[in-house]
Amino acid sequence: MGLRDAIKDKNKASTQDCAKVLIFLRHHLDEGLKIEYLTVKDPLVLWNGLKKRYDNLKFVTLPQARYYWAHLRLQDFKSVSEYNSAMFRITSELKLCGDTIIDYDMLEKTFTTFHASNMVLQQQYREKGFKKYFELISLLLVAE
């Protein structure tokens, strides 16, 4: 939106641009945070307050997300849909923290965590040569 200057130190943004930034930031805040930052009139102060509050998110979330990724197993879920939801929740957290999870990683995680009794099925799915995670999950959902 071309308003980045309004949240920089010693900015020369117009009053109108500052108001636009405040409206934009407040629109995307949780209700509790809206109330907490209601009296803040400077977008830079609001931005820095939020940044200070959430910059440590990576240090808290990343180890936990990596732990969940390491222990994610298809065989531990009652349905493919539950597994898929967990997969996307964990990969979203990892991406938020700067880790890159690609389709190959998601495919490998799924293949390597099939139940031992389904190894033949796992091999058949591998041989199909999926390149995208959603292709495999779609097939698994139909098969289920």
Side-chain angles (χ1 to χ4, degrees):
M1 293 173 43
L3 301 170
R4 186 174 296 214
D5 288 339
I7 57 171
K8 290 184 179 175
D9 284 326
K10 300 178 186 171
N11 70 62
K12 294 179 179 147
S14 70
T15 307
Q16 186 178 7
D17 285 349
C18 288
K20 284 181 186 177
V21 171
L22 276 173
I23 291 167
F24 179 81
L25 290 174
R26 285 195 174 124
H27 176 75
H28 290 88
L29 287 178
D30 177 77
E31 286 303 317
L33 287 173
K34 282 182 186 178
I35 292 168
E36 186 175 333
Y37 290 101
L38 188 63
T39 59
V40 176
K41 302 292 184 212
D42 183 352
L44 177 62
V45 173
L46 176 58
W47 180 257
N48 286 337
L50 293 169
K51 189 169 173 25
K52 198 180 302 179
R53 182 182 200 128
Y54 291 106
D55 257 359
N56 67 345
L57 186 65
K58 182 176 181 176
F59 300 110
V60 174
T61 305
L62 185 58
Q64 184 179 24
R66 284 183 177 161
Y67 173 85
Y68 289 140
W69 176 258
H71 293 89
L72 179 66
R73 300 182 324 164
L74 176 61
Q75 66 183 0
D76 292 340
F77 292 87
K78 292 179 183 176
S79 70
V80 173
S81 181
E82 287 179 23
Y83 170 78
N84 191 42
S85 293
M87 171 69 83
F88 279 114
R89 181 184 49 78
I90 295 166
T91 56
S92 293
E93 287 177 1
L94 289 168
K95 287 176 185 176
L96 175 70
C97 294
D99 275 11
T100 304
I101 303 296
I102 59 175
D103 281 301
Y104 175 81
D105 300 325
M106 295 163 64
L107 287 166
E108 279 304 306
K109 174 59 78 173
T110 305
F111 288 139
T112 59
T113 62
F114 266 68
H115 192 274
S117 65
N118 292 328
M119 284 302 146
V120 172
L121 191 59
Q122 179 230 69
Q123 188 59 37
Q124 290 173 344
Y125 285 132
R126 263 189 198 278
E127 289 172 2
K128 290 191 182 282
F130 295 108
K131 298 291 183 208
K132 298 289 182 183
Y133 172 75
F134 78 86
E135 297 169 339
L136 172 63
I137 287 300
S138 296
L139 192 64
L140 290 174
L141 285 166
V142 169
E144 185 178 58

